[in-house]
Amino acid sequence: GIMLRDPIRALKGTIAQNMFSKHETTSIIEAIHSKKRPAMSSINNHKHGCLPRWDGFHHFDNFIVRSLGGNYDVEPGQVTEEHLENAKKLLQKMDVLLILEELSLHTRQLEDTFGWDLDSQRTIPVSNAHAKHRPVLSTSQEAYLHEVNTFDYKLYEFALALAREKSQNARTHSRCLANASDFFAAAATAEPR
């Protein structure tokens, strides 16, 4: 299974959590715009939390489709419709698909797939401490990156619909199991004829 979230929100979290500087963020955006890998000298990856030294622009340029579409290291600005379709196919194969912004709607999938009882976990906070810190993108950078991440947003919209469908199916399956359980419990206690 997988959990997805709004692509720009995810990117902002990555920038803040991995401490990308404004200079590094700008350098990466310029590299994506020119469709060239950023010079390693402009990206100080040794300090970026859990990210490997070579991994930077990928998070700014259709990260979800890169991750699921079969070609993570494709050049900046070169994610294609084919990568998107590959990512969609992979999502369709998953038993569990959660959307962070709608997490409470999708926990039924976890209950159905893994047999977990999550009734006490219905209210789940979906905010991070870094959201309260300085803005990590300017308004113009955010608008540009929203445009650049068109394939991620197409996949996100696809994932929203698919997650809702999987959750609805899980609720239906859970009700059927509950009804069957009630039936067998009643049959076990019924007087023989």
Side-chain angles (χ1 to χ4, degrees), residues 23-130:
H23 170 74
E24 291 168 324
T25 298
T26 300
S27 294
I28 290 171
I29 292 170
E30 288 170 357
I32 292 168
H33 184 71
S34 68
K35 299 189 183 329
K36 295 179 183 171
R37 288 179 184 264
M40 291 309 289
S41 61
S42 67
I43 310 301
N44 192 8
N45 277 339
H46 72 277
K47 69 170 188 169
H48 289 161
C50 63
L51 297 180
R53 291 185 60 81
W54 56 267
D55 192 12
F57 77 86
H58 309 78
H59 297 269
F60 292 69
D61 180 14
N62 293 291
F63 175 73
I64 305 167
V65 172
R66 284 176 177 279
S67 298
L68 301 176
N71 199 350
Y72 184 78
D73 204 32
V74 68
E75 296 297 316
Q78 300 302 310
V79 173
T80 67
E81 195 76 37
E82 181 181 351
H83 299 131
L84 172 63
E85 292 306 314
N86 289 341
K88 285 180 178 180
K89 288 175 188 172
L90 186 60
L91 286 182
Q92 289 173 316
K93 293 178 183 179
M94 294 195 182
D95 293 326
V96 174
L97 174 56
L98 307 175
I99 304 297
L100 181 62
E101 290 82 6
E102 298 181 347
L103 189 56
S104 63
L105 300 177
H106 303 301
T107 56
R108 185 69 68 201
Q109 292 179 52
L110 298 170
E111 294 171 344
D112 188 56
T113 302
F114 302 115
W116 295 349
D117 180 9
L118 298 175
D119 282 335
S120 64
Q121 302 296 319
R122 288 290 177 228
T123 304
I124 302 169
V126 293
S127 65
N128 297 313
H130 68 260

Side-chain angles (χ1 to χ4, degrees), residues 109-191:
Q109 292 179 52
L110 298 170
E111 294 171 344
D112 188 56
T113 302
F114 302 115
W116 295 349
D117 180 9
L118 298 175
D119 282 335
S120 64
Q121 302 296 319
R122 288 290 177 228
T123 304
I124 302 169
V126 293
S127 65
N128 297 313
H130 68 260
K132 296 168 183 68
H133 296 289
R134 67 170 173 84
V136 295
L137 295 171
S138 70
T139 304
S140 62
Q141 286 174 326
E142 186 170 335
Y144 175 72
L145 288 169
H146 196 284
E147 183 181 318
V148 164
N149 285 278
T150 298
F151 292 114
D152 264 7
Y153 273 101
K154 286 180 180 181
L155 184 63
Y156 182 69
E157 291 300 319
F158 176 82
L160 281 168
L162 186 57
R164 290 170 183 158
E165 179 184 322
K166 287 179 178 291
S167 294
Q168 182 61 43
N169 290 343
R171 279 190 282 282
T172 301
H173 183 247
S174 294
R175 280 195 298 269
C176 289
L177 288 177
N179 290 341
S181 178
D182 291 346
F183 171 79
F184 289 117
T189 58
E191 295 288 325

